[in-house]
Amino acid sequence: MIYAITIYGEPGVFEALPKDRQEEVMSGHGALQSALTDRGEFVSMKLMPPTSAVMVEPATTEGTAPLITDGPFAETKENFLGFYAADFKDLDEALEYAKMISSPVARLEVRPVAWAGGAISSE
Amino acid sequence: MSDWLEATITLHRPRALAALTRLFRDIDTAEEAFAEACLKALTVWPKDGTPRDPLAWLLTTARNSGLDHVRKSQRRAAILARHSEEFQLMPAETPDPDEMRDDVLRLLFICCHPELDRRDQIAIALRVVLGLSVDEIASGFLIRPKTMEQRITRTKKKIASNPVAFETPSPAERGARLGEVSLMVYLMFSEGWSTSAGQNQIKLTLCEEAIRLARLLAALFPAMGEQAALLALLLFQHARRHARIDTDGKLVALDDQDRSLWDRSDIAEATGLLQKAQRTGHHGVYIVQAAIAATHAHADSVDDTDWASIESHYAALYALLPTPVIRLNQIAAQAKLHGPYYALKAMETLAQDLSTYRWFHAMRGGLLQETGDHNAAIAAFETVMNLGPTAPERVAITEKIEISQNKLRGV
């Protein structure tokens, strides 16, 4: 089963940490990435800060184009920061891997993937 | 553990201080109240866990401790009487985004007080808005902490003597404040950039803090292309920080930098921000400057640089800001396109305006060197030496003089 390990946190907290703490967090990611590389294919993405985001809002009336806006009013509230996805034996295994990147700056969600295409496929 | 808490507090400080300053109508009271809330957070959060909305927690706690002080203080009793209704109304959650945005902008604008010297504006913003210690600020400016302390005290007195209105600003007023504040952020970065070289004095604090403020502005004003572009511009420039100083601490000119040392993730983020800013169709000074920086950032080498595009961006910038320095930069791009003779001729019109500008003479020396007129080149470089260059500039210019002297001797 493919599981996604999604990462939520307040944008900017990581950047405000002292360098050695940043390295601590990054070493967790380094360990997870090399462990995932060893066992097969995976995808991972780190999103840029929400200030760089643009929103495509659904058209309000039929026949009009979707509305492009300059992003949600960026607050410092918890935000989607990035994710990993890989094929795991079961939930327990996915959780074991997720623990490698656990840190006080991130809340992690481990959730089964219903469909995936591209680099890794659920079919 | 406290590192994580401090990072969270650092992140929320500008917004919290801004809201508290509006509430107490006084920066010192706001700072004291916030400091107490932070102390409380350092004991409560590790026990009870970080609150889901740390900003709201800090604001509520700071408001309560600030109110205690206000009640006890004769001097502030008048403030309390005047604004008692607002104190009652201040909610336990974060102020709404529009109000927060104006609060932060106001606090930054207070720092840009017109009677203040530009460096004092920057110093007070670093102290109050970003919460840097006096020592950190002093080392950023390369001055003694004691001197910095005195300057900050003096600055605060000036600010208190001429308060900024606390009403919600009109759109025009908001626009003017945003322009003034953005310029201060830009100059904070430049200050850090120009002092951060030579003799192991790599002081990037000011640059990093300016980027933090630019991030804050871009987050608060997501629809403003200029603020996204300002952040992009600073990131493009900051991306070169490791390449512009060599292992001996010597300044390396853009043309000679090892581009593999440029920070790719800064460039990627800046590129995304610039594309977002350009969607607004607005051609402000930061968008144009960021476009210039982007052209450099995406070129693999000097020869690979799209100088025609840089030249046209400088022409656009000169239309917005007709200063001799911008014209000089445009001519520098023309030199790459049309050669040194063309550029030297074009520079003649600026000779008077820029007679005391070091880069004018340094650039002229470089171009004269290209034409082989080494006597004139040496004269131009010597003019730079007489105009008080910084230590790293002195080293670079001395080397150039030696090159010309060697050429004349036929070495």
Side-chain angles (χ1 to χ4, degrees), chain A residues 10 17 21 51 53 70 76, chain B residues 3-4 12 15 222 276 279:
Chain A
E10 281 187 81
L17 284 171
R21 289 290 187 172
T51 37
D70 297 292
T76 53
Chain B
D3 282 343
W4 312 106
H12 291 296
R15 286 177 174 82
K276 182 180 168 177
R279 275 189 43 83

Side-chain angles (χ1 to χ4, degrees), chain B residues 24-328:
Chain B
F24 294 114
R25 302 292 204 265
D26 179 52
I27 287 176
D28 284 335
T29 314
E31 278 192 300
E32 283 162 30
F34 184 70
E36 277 182 43
C38 293
L39 272 182
K40 216 168 261 181
L42 287 175
T43 57
V44 175
W45 292 4
K47 258 193 308 176
D48 301 352
T50 307
R52 214 41 195 270
D53 189 344
L55 178 58
W57 190 99
L58 287 167
L59 272 178
T60 309
T61 312
R63 177 197 57 179
N64 293 340
S65 74
L67 276 178
D68 276 348
H69 283 287
V70 170
R71 286 201 192 91
K72 285 175 202 149
S73 150
Q74 279 289 25
R75 186 166 72 81
R76 293 165 188 157
I79 309 174
L80 183 65
R82 237 184 305 143
H83 305 293
S84 60
E85 214 169 291
E86 273 175 66
F87 287 133
Q88 306 305 324
L89 289 175
M90 179 145 174
E93 72 238 30
T94 324
D96 81 80
D98 285 339
E99 193 171 40
M100 182 54 92
R101 178 173 76 162
D102 283 334
D103 283 349
V104 175
L105 185 57
R106 182 185 301 106
L107 181 61
L108 283 164
F109 185 64
I110 289 173
C111 299
C112 295
H113 199 291
E115 278 168 37
L116 295 175
D117 169 72
R118 193 56 86 173
R119 300 183 88 192
D120 287 333
Q121 294 182 352
I122 293 169
I124 197 74
L126 289 167
R127 179 73 203 95
V128 174
V129 186
L130 298 167
L132 262 68
S133 71
V134 171
D135 283 6
E136 287 171 312
I137 301 168
S139 83
F141 279 105
L142 310 177
I143 63 171
R144 285 169 43 238
K146 188 87 198 134
T147 316
M148 198 72 227
E149 177 98 66
Q150 288 162 347
R151 283 176 69 163
I152 287 178
T153 311
R154 236 182 310 140
T155 301
K156 280 192 170 173
K157 276 197 191 122
K158 264 190 201 167
I159 285 175
S161 70
N162 189 5
V164 170
F166 280 91
E167 285 72 40
T168 303
S170 69
E173 231 171 343
R174 187 180 293 130
R177 284 182 185 185
L178 193 53
E180 192 57 39
V181 165
S182 299
L183 181 60
M184 186 265 284
V185 172
Y186 174 81
L187 294 171
M188 182 188 287
F189 185 91
S190 306
E191 177 76 36
W193 198 245
S194 59
T195 53
S196 64
Q199 271 122 53
N200 306 322
Q201 284 169 335
I202 303 166
K203 300 287 180 200
L204 289 167
T205 319
L206 293 190
C207 300
E208 280 160 11
E209 295 302 318
I211 287 173
R212 258 184 80 200
L213 282 183
R215 273 191 200 291
L216 181 66
L217 290 177
L220 291 170
F221 297 91
M224 303 297 287
E226 276 289 87
Q227 276 59 48
L230 172 61
L231 176 56
L233 173 61
L234 302 191
L235 286 171
F236 275 130
Q237 206 161 335
H238 197 58
R240 298 185 213 137
R241 65 194 172 281
H242 300 302
R244 79 189 273 265
I245 293 162
D246 68 13
T247 41
D248 303 326
K250 215 170 62 192
L251 214 54
V252 184
L254 180 61
D255 285 9
D256 306 323
Q257 288 176 11
D258 174 358
R259 297 181 179 218
S260 69
L261 296 175
W262 289 0
D263 187 321
R264 292 293 139 192
S265 89
D266 281 346
I267 291 174
E269 189 186 350
T271 304
L273 285 161
L274 176 60
Q275 286 176 8
K276 182 180 168 177
Q278 283 171 330
R279 275 189 43 83
T280 60
H282 176 77
H283 286 283
V285 291
Y286 299 119
I287 292 181
V288 178
Q289 289 179 86
I292 294 168
T295 311
H296 286 300
H298 295 296
D300 290 332
S301 67
V302 185
D303 295 335
D304 188 49
T305 307
D306 184 351
W307 290 105
S309 140
I310 290 184
E311 200 275 335
S312 74
H313 287 314
Y314 272 116
L317 188 59
Y318 188 73
L320 293 167
L321 272 179
T323 71
V325 171
I326 290 171
R327 177 83 182 106
L328 183 67

Side-chain angles (χ1 to χ4, degrees), chain B residues 374-388:
Chain B
H374 291 285
N375 281 313
I378 292 170
F381 289 135
E382 276 167 356
T383 310
V384 180
M385 296 300 260
N386 292 328
L387 289 169

